[in-house]
Amino acid sequence: MRPLAEAQRDVLDAMPLLPTATMPLDQALGLALARPVEAPHDVPPFTNSAMDGYAVQGADVGSAPATLRLLEDVPAGHVAQGAVTAGAAIKIMTGAPMPDGADTVVKVEDTEPLPGAVRILAATATGTAVRPAGGDLTAGSPVFGVGERLTARHVAVLASLGINPSVRRRPRVAVLSTGDEVLPPDTQTLGPGQIRDTNRPLLIGMLQRLGAVVVDLGIVGDDAETLRNALASGADQADMVLTSGGVSKGEYDLVKAILAELGTVDFWQVAMQPAKPFAFGHISGTPLLGLPGNPVSVMVAYEQFARPALLHMMGCDQVFRAQAAAISAERWRTHPAKVVFTRVITEVRDDVTYVRTSGEQMSNVLSSLARATAFAVVPVGTGYVEEGDRVTIELFRAPATRTASEVLGG
């Protein structure tokens, strides 16, 4: 069996980068920068007030009480017409430009309005509540680097700069389930030997969360010609094809045979559990990842191969999920010849993370996957995880934080 890291490296090395485009901000969420971003101007672009109150000279409010002449009342979106002089104040709103001559803002709660004046009730240090121009970003400073994936927080920063970013476009992923026994999820009555399709909804949901555009090829039975046409159609429409089932050694496991016929195939058994059967190749230059048929195996294979590969295609620097250290709260058996991904539930007690299995670990059991918050990643050579052992957990509800070189070396 091929070591997991070696198989992951082979898949990532074969992934092409997607084309770049300048994207409107409302379409850029989840995409990765293809060019670095520098600030074209200061943020904030002018010195402004951090709160509602009165712009004053700090020397006038070092002690309280004090009464100052009111020169102006400046509403939001407007600029003071005059300057603040000694013994005077201008009423100001949060975010409004500081008037000339002022260096301090007294918050409105510490004041009392008077006819034509304001009474300062609390001593205020010079410089209080003043946000300097460029206090966040200065013109020409680096903001984000190539490969950084844009969250809503990144988009907000770009909005403050008026920048539509250069990014790699969203991947299009064709998805299909295989097998005569597989029926649509809304099937009301199952016949003998029939099951509802769980793999396609699982993959589509994960892909949509990633930000990919899904091409749903549906369910394809165990017919070589139909499957051949579906795979060719998927390769023509998408940047990647994801199949589930048909990659083991059975007579009706057709995916790898058709993959070899239509393109190239590098098929191996990966030293991992679940998801040992795995096919990878190309059809008309489009990468195809043939995932196993059991639903938990589908998710493990997606997390370890498909998701990092798609993030790599998108130009993301960080492609692998975050990992953390935890302590096992119970004993469980693993497979010493494989990297084992055990479904676990995490619990934090006294600042220490503990894990316990989320239920039955067979690769067809979805309920324990739904209950889990992470995979415990048990390395090759481990027969049992003992209670109290230190384990590594991979948080599949957390974003990617590890680069390929950090995980795979090189």
Side-chain angles (χ1 to χ4, degrees), residues 48-406:
N48 66 89
S49 174
M51 60 181 61
D52 294 346
Y54 292 85
V56 301
Q57 293 185 357
D60 289 333
V61 294
S63 60
T67 300
L68 305 177
R69 301 186 317 278
L70 183 61
L71 301 177
E72 294 182 56
D73 185 343
V74 182
H78 294 262
V79 178
Q81 298 302 302
V84 171
T85 56
I90 290 179
K91 192 172 185 181
I92 193 171
M93 306 296 287
T94 302
M98 287 292 290
D100 291 341
D103 58 12
T104 302
V105 175
V106 180
K107 61 183 178 182
V108 70
E109 295 91 337
D110 291 340
T111 65
E112 177 187 354
L114 300 172
V118 60
R119 185 174 176 81
I120 308 300
L121 304 178
T124 305
T126 299
T128 295
V130 175
R131 299 188 293 209
D136 184 358
L137 297 168
T138 57
S141 63
V143 181
F144 301 128
V146 172
E148 192 150 3
R149 195 172 179 216
L150 299 178
T151 67
R153 302 181 299 279
H154 294 81
V155 169
V157 173
L158 295 176
S160 76
L161 296 168
I163 290 176
N164 287 331
S166 174
V167 294
R168 296 196 180 275
R169 67 163 173 79
R170 298 187 186 281
R172 292 176 58 84
V173 184
V175 178
L176 66 84
S177 292
T178 66
D180 286 343
E181 76 280 15
V182 181
L183 299 180
D186 58 358
T187 301
Q188 296 301 302
T189 302
L190 296 175
Q194 295 178 330
I195 58 172
R196 295 183 181 90
D197 183 10
T198 59
N199 292 345
R200 215 168 83 261
L202 175 63
L203 282 171
I204 290 173
M206 293 188 294
L207 289 166
Q208 288 175 338
R209 186 167 186 178
L210 187 68
V213 177
V214 176
V215 179
D216 186 359
L217 299 178
I219 302 168
V220 179
D222 295 321
D223 176 79
E225 185 61 26
T226 304
L227 182 57
R228 185 180 296 110
N229 292 336
L231 292 177
S233 174
D236 184 58
Q237 298 180 67
D239 303 301
M240 176 184 287
V241 178
L242 288 180
T243 67
S244 63
V247 295
S248 191
K249 296 183 177 180
E251 181 179 351
Y252 294 101
D253 290 327
L254 300 174
V255 170
K256 65 179 184 292
I258 294 173
L259 182 59
E261 174 190 334
L262 296 182
T264 61
V265 60
D266 188 356
F267 173 70
W268 58 74
Q269 291 183 328
V270 182
M272 61 189 297
Q273 182 180 312
K276 180 180 73 172
F278 180 77
F280 172 62
H282 292 80
I283 293 179
S284 302
T286 300
L288 181 145
L289 276 66
L291 312 184
N294 283 313
V296 179
S297 299
V298 165
M299 179 168 176
V300 172
Y302 171 84
E303 287 288 326
Q304 299 306 312
F305 291 104
R307 187 176 186 275
L310 288 167
L311 289 173
H312 176 82
M313 294 174 76
M314 294 165 66
C316 296
D317 182 40
Q318 297 173 329
V319 298
F320 286 99
R321 294 279 194 188
Q323 290 189 338
I327 301 298
S328 174
E330 62 185 24
R331 184 180 193 257
W332 73 81
R333 186 177 182 176
T334 70
H335 196 304
K338 305 173 185 177
V339 178
V340 178
F341 293 86
T342 303
R343 286 150 269 173
V344 295
I345 296 171
T346 58
E347 179 185 0
V348 179
R349 302 194 304 266
D350 298 326
D351 296 325
V352 177
T353 300
Y354 293 88
V355 296
R356 56 183 176 84
T357 57
S358 61
E360 172 59 53
Q361 295 294 308
M362 292 185 69
S363 60
N364 67 309
V365 180
L366 274 170
S367 58
S368 62
L369 180 62
R371 285 191 293 269
T373 54
F375 290 124
V377 185
V378 185
V380 171
T382 307
Y384 285 90
V385 173
E386 303 289 349
E387 182 177 353
D389 280 355
R390 182 184 175 93
V391 295
T392 297
I393 57 173
E394 192 162 295
L395 303 161
F396 52 68
R397 295 184 183 178
T401 61
R402 297 181 300 146
T403 67
S405 59
E406 287 173 336

